[in-house]
Amino acid sequence: MQSVLYIDIETRSRVDLKKTSVYRYVNDDDFLILMAAWSLDNSPVQIALSADEIAAIPGLWDPDVIKVAHNAQFERVCFSRFRAKRYNRSGTEFLPPHEWRDTMAIAAEHGLPRSLEMLGRALGGERKDKSGTDLVRLFCRPNRSGGWNGPHTHPEQWMDFIAYCEQDVVTLLDIDSRLGDLGHWPTPTEQAVFHADQTVNDRGIAIDVNLAAAAVQAGDLNQAEQRARVTEISGIENPGSVQQVTRWLAEQGVNVPNLRAETVEGLLEGDELQPAVREVLELRQELALVASKKFASALYGMGPDGRLRGTLAFFGAHTGRWAGRGTQLQNLPRQTFSNVVDTELCIADLLAGERVEAEDLKRLVRPMFTGPFTVVDYSAIEARVVAWLAGEQWALDAFEAGRDIYIETADRMSTPSHPLDRSQGKVAVLALGYNGGTNSLRAMGAEGDERQLKNLVTQWRRANPHIVRLWQLLGDAFSDVGYAGPLLRTTETEEYGMGRTVRLWLPSGRAITYHDVRWERYKLPDPVTGKLVSKEGWRFADPKNPFNHRQRIGTYGGRLCENATQAVARDILAEALVRLERLGYRVVAHVHDEILVEGEHDVEEIKAIMTEPPSWAAGLPIDGEGFTTQRYRKG
């Protein structure tokens, strides 16, 4: 039987872990593992305090011993750095992910909290010691004089700190035991996906350091000029103050509930604003832009080799999709230059010290990431998946034949007196697949009055009866568990005192888990009036904090359809990551439904690997498009 080492560490660094990744954290000169608590094969918990004791922890360096930690990436990267410094090895070599089991990732797979404290509470077992927050602040961060506290400065608290570290392993052991069968990966594929994810995070993506540094300087200069201009126009002392700007606007006869981007954009769309008010609002939007922050974040988070690591959070969303970390590649500005020549000319101007406007800085965020890359994006993946799950055969036939789904949809929705064009078909496909209505159409940019938009909703639903039927089937299966068509089904259990648990099983063999499911009456603010409106329906516990009853999540057939569709699309991309890694391709990032492979490869070759249907996806027509580029850009 394979040995298992349970382990938890306490560390110090001058780098703020909340602002960047563990990869940057461990590259600080003062990084140190202060102590490590461990248990081999459920033996009594022991503590290692010196570097020699840590290096001698049994099984730590043995590839045949499984290491178990909560948020194992942290321990794995910290021990990688420890090994590099102790044995004079490369700082960009990391311990193999396949030797580690992460209870945080596995808990997320089952809809359980990622936090160790919350997870222990949810499982009804050992709790993480909350008093540890003060001890971490005392010993893991520099003190006010810039030095470090330790056993020599606070001997009594240091003993408490040791007990805190040991208790984390006690909690870890208890959690692993209480998870039982859920304490392992739901499928072998999910384990392989996690390992591929860790490898991609370890590899990182190269950034143009000179471009990023020049962009930060240009952004600071732009913001200083914009702030000065706002003060000149309005007399506002601090243009970054919401209170001061809101008060000035009110004095100009413009009353706003907030200064959120969507609120300001709505005001700017009108024609009634005074020129001074319009300019202040436009400058306010520019000051709030995140472009220069992206450059600064990348510089702060990069390693000594100029690569940015740890940007992807495995199973960051309830459906299994990834979340972004640090520089957030999933949330980059959409603005780009129309061609490579304009991109390089702007970069040359920036590096030469020429003034570059804020809009152009936004266009340079993606080109900051340097390849060469082979980039392939899945084409209309959610529209393909929802049609497959629902058995909407006309749509599947259109995809299989390579026809334009937006034109096909527009044709099926058209009437002799009211023909629709491709753009209207596209808006309908993007807005209405998950029981969306007129508000969904407006959010996607549809034009028309309420009656016209309601007609579009009706026409789309008539053209897609099987998708509409899937919404009903999923709603019914959430109430009385069973099959929702041939590809989806639900089951229910009672787990850990968390009430009724419903699992929506996906074709890949894993499930989306909903805990504490109840039919409830509740009140929500109306998005237009802000007044509380009474509602009733299915709600479940927030996986991040199942004990916050004010943040329970509502669901219904259309929302469940969206969950299932996005989860299946995620599973397709996930298996593609595993195949690419096994074939030796260097994946450096993935953004939504797009994968970036380092190097100039045959686009059709990468596309063929990515669009190969998994064994569980017979009949699902998958397609994609791609390109090669020296700098990251939109296709």
Side-chain angles (χ1 to χ4, degrees), residues 53-126:
E53 289 176 353
I54 292 170
I57 292 174
L60 180 58
W61 315 110
D62 187 342
D64 294 326
V65 173
I66 292 296
K67 275 67 73 172
V68 178
H70 197 76
N71 187 15
Q73 184 183 58
F74 182 82
E75 270 78 9
R76 185 175 63 83
V77 173
C78 286
F79 280 121
S80 298
R81 182 61 177 157
F82 173 90
R83 181 184 64 171
K85 293 174 71 174
R86 185 173 177 86
Y87 302 111
N88 195 28
R89 303 181 73 161
S90 167
T92 57
E93 293 179 10
F94 301 96
L95 295 169
H98 68 265
E99 296 179 13
W100 292 75
R101 179 153 55 89
D102 187 350
T103 52
M104 183 179 78
I106 293 173
E109 290 261 10
H110 296 289
L112 293 166
R114 298 169 66 90
S115 150
L116 184 62
E117 190 274 329
M118 284 286 180
L119 181 56
R121 183 179 172 188
L123 298 180
E126 292 280 348

Side-chain angles (χ1 to χ4, degrees), residues 505-568:
W505 292 93
L506 304 169
S508 62
R510 72 177 182 95
I512 308 173
T513 304
Y514 306 83
H515 292 290
D516 196 16
V517 175
R518 285 177 272 161
W519 184 271
E520 295 177 330
R521 293 180 179 178
Y522 56 98
K523 291 185 177 181
L524 286 178
D526 184 276
V528 178
T529 66
K531 295 181 179 179
L532 289 177
V533 178
S534 295
K535 292 181 174 291
E536 64 176 315
W538 290 110
R539 295 212 296 174
F540 61 95
D542 183 349
K544 296 177 183 177
N545 183 357
F547 309 103
N548 187 339
H549 296 291
R550 294 181 179 179
Q551 293 185 358
R552 286 174 58 75
I553 301 171
T555 195
Y556 53 92
R559 181 70 54 77
L560 294 167
C561 180
E562 180 180 29
N563 288 171
T565 300
Q566 292 185 348
V568 170

Side-chain angles (χ1 to χ4, degrees), residues 217-238:
Q217 290 184 340
D220 290 344
L221 177 62
N222 287 346
Q223 289 211 330
E225 292 176 350
Q226 289 160 350
R227 286 175 180 273
R229 178 59 180 160
V230 171
T231 301
E232 179 185 347
I233 296 169
S234 63
I236 296 172
E237 294 182 3
N238 178 13

Side-chain angles (χ1 to χ4, degrees), residues 48 52 99 112 139 160 167 187 201 213 218 262 313 381 455 477 490 494 560 607:
D52 288 342
E99 296 179 13
L112 293 166
F139 294 115
D160 292 338
Q167 179 59 41
T187 69
N201 273 304
E262 57 269 23
I381 187 63
N455 285 339
T490 58
E494 296 279 337
L560 294 167
K607 174 183 166 182

Side-chain angles (χ1 to χ4, degrees), residues 107-393:
E109 290 261 10
H110 296 289
L112 293 166
R114 298 169 66 90
S115 150
L116 184 62
E117 190 274 329
M118 284 286 180
L119 181 56
R121 183 179 172 188
L123 298 180
E126 292 280 348
R127 306 281 186 89
K128 181 178 172 70
D129 188 353
K130 291 184 178 180
S131 65
T133 302
D134 293 334
L135 295 169
V136 167
R137 189 179 297 113
L138 180 65
F139 294 115
C140 301
R141 301 174 188 173
N143 57 32
R144 292 180 180 179
S145 64
W148 298 98
N149 297 322
H152 57 290
T153 61
H154 297 77
E156 291 185 11
Q157 290 96 326
W158 184 258
M159 297 306 295
D160 292 338
F161 199 33
I162 290 174
Y164 167 74
C165 185
E166 292 174 328
Q167 179 59 41
D168 273 359
V169 176
V170 172
T171 301
L172 181 63
L173 285 161
D174 184 63
I175 282 173
D176 200 45
S177 173
R178 289 176 180 272
L179 280 171
D181 291 340
L182 298 185
H184 298 274
W185 296 102
T187 69
T189 297
E190 281 301 294
Q191 183 179 29
V193 173
F194 176 73
H195 294 159
D197 163 80
Q198 296 293 285
T199 299
V200 173
N201 273 304
D202 287 353
R203 183 176 294 133
I205 185 170
I207 67 170
D208 185 330
V209 177
N210 293 331
L211 186 161
V216 169
Q217 290 184 340
D220 290 344
L221 177 62
N222 287 346
Q223 289 211 330
E225 292 176 350
Q226 289 160 350
R227 286 175 180 273
R229 178 59 180 160
V230 171
T231 301
E232 179 185 347
I233 296 169
S234 63
I236 296 172
E237 294 182 3
N238 178 13
S241 167
V242 172
Q243 186 177 10
Q244 290 183 31
V245 175
T246 302
R247 186 188 307 123
W248 180 81
L249 289 172
E251 292 170 357
Q252 312 309 305
V254 180
N255 294 297
V256 293
N258 55 62
L259 289 176
R260 294 172 186 161
E262 57 269 23
T263 303
V264 176
E265 287 170 6
L267 289 171
L268 291 172
E269 287 175 359
D271 299 324
E272 65 279 1
L273 293 177
Q274 300 173 20
V277 173
R278 178 172 293 278
E279 186 174 357
V280 166
L281 288 174
E282 289 173 344
L283 289 168
R284 168 76 192 182
Q285 290 290 72
E286 291 295 331
L287 287 169
L289 290 175
V290 298
S292 60
K293 296 177 183 177
K294 291 288 187 185
F295 295 112
S297 172
L299 287 173
Y300 183 68
M302 73 177 185
D305 56 353
R307 296 182 79 90
L308 185 64
R309 295 178 171 86
T311 61
L312 298 163
F314 179 81
F315 223 99
H318 187 213
T319 58
R321 281 182 174 257
W322 279 262
R325 289 290 181 268
T327 307
Q328 294 274 1
L329 271 69
Q330 281 78 5
N331 187 28
L332 299 178
R334 298 184 63 83
Q335 294 88 337
T336 59
F337 288 100
S338 59
N339 57 69
V340 173
V341 173
D342 287 346
T343 302
E344 294 300 333
L345 285 174
C346 187
I347 293 172
D349 286 344
L350 180 67
L351 296 178
E354 300 287 337
R355 177 181 174 80
V356 176
E357 299 294 337
E359 283 296 314
D360 284 341
L361 285 180
K362 286 193 288 186
R363 294 186 176 96
L364 291 180
V365 172
R366 289 175 190 267
M368 169 180 61
F369 300 102
T370 60
F373 302 121
T374 303
V375 183
V376 175
D377 188 17
Y378 286 107
S379 300
I381 187 63
E382 288 193 25
R384 293 169 185 270
V385 170
V386 72
W388 178 67
L389 291 173
E392 200 65 77
Q393 196 58 49

